[in-house]
Amino acid sequence: MACTAILFDLDGTLVDTAGDLGWALNQVLGDIGRGPLSIEEVRGMIGGGIAALVSLGLEATGGPVEESQLEDMASKCKDLYNEHIADQSLPYPGVPETLPILAGMGVRMGVCTNKPESASRKLLSELGIDSWLPVVIGGDSLPVRKPDPQMANAVMNQLGISKEQAVLVGDSITDVELARGAGLPVILVSYGYSNDPIDSLGADKIITNFSMLEECIKSFDT
């Protein structure tokens, strides 16, 4: 059966969000006399959600704080980020052009991310690519988060497709684990936020530019 559906990771795969996430993180770190962190440092911390981002930022700038303070910082960071979610963030090269091509091929598409669902939808809307991605399962959509396969299953259920029709596209080991748990082939992008060499993660295929995805999925007999 040919590939007729794609599940996308968001941060590091569809959109470069490091600038806005880094700005919000540095605001809350600055409040306690920490930081600032460079955007390159922040890139390696993205993927587990805002609370994890703040926790990693604290570890990198002097160590953890009390749990109640961490919760307050994460809440403020989330609010700041949501207010400035697309100030610096941009779709990666090839994304705005390729999504409509894939849709024209009859490919159904959705997003599976640990970013909160409302923030994910707001980001996609402000960047003008939301119409191609009607299904979004975020880190607060279910009681579980990536790489739990229930995340991928929820996207497939809403798209109305089976795992035999789908591939997952991401940028990290979390996405590989998610795909394997859900029984999906996985394509990784080389330009994302992975701390590990992409060719060491066991992906079925690797692409260096999003525009390569059109031809890449044609090679799958899923």
Side-chain angles (χ1 to χ4, degrees), residues 147-160:
D148 192 296
Q150 291 181 61
M151 295 282 287
N153 291 337
V155 177
M156 289 188 285
N157 287 340
Q158 290 194 31
L159 288 174

Side-chain angles (χ1 to χ4, degrees), residues 21-38 41-42 45 50-65 69-70 72-74 76-77 80:
L21 284 167
W23 175 82
L25 174 61
N26 280 327
Q27 297 304 302
V28 297
L29 289 175
D31 287 345
I32 62 169
R34 303 274 191 98
L37 294 169
S38 70
E41 289 175 303
V42 173
M45 302 175 182
I50 291 288
L53 178 67
V54 173
S55 181
L56 290 170
L58 288 166
E59 289 179 18
T61 57
V65 296
Q69 186 176 8
L70 172 60
D72 289 343
M73 291 178 69
K76 181 177 180 180
C77 186
L80 286 169

Side-chain angles (χ1 to χ4, degrees), residues 123-144:
L123 176 62
L124 293 169
S125 175
E126 293 202 14
L127 295 179
I129 57 175
D130 55 317
S131 61
W132 313 114
L133 302 158
V135 173
V136 177
I137 296 296
D140 57 355
S141 301
L142 302 174
V144 297

Side-chain angles (χ1 to χ4, degrees), residues 169-182:
V169 179
D171 73 326
S172 70
I173 187 60
T174 299
D175 295 313
V176 174
E177 292 173 351
L178 173 67
R180 298 309 179 213

Side-chain angles (χ1 to χ4, degrees), residues 64 74 83 97:
E83 292 169 7
E97 300 84 5

Side-chain angles (χ1 to χ4, degrees), residues 96-127:
E97 300 84 5
T98 304
L99 290 178
I101 292 173
L102 294 170
M105 294 165 54
V107 177
R108 302 181 188 182
M109 295 174 283
V111 171
C112 188
T113 176
N114 278 337
K115 185 189 291 294
E117 182 178 339
S118 61
S120 300
R121 291 186 181 277
K122 181 180 180 181
L123 176 62
L124 293 169
S125 175
E126 293 202 14
L127 295 179

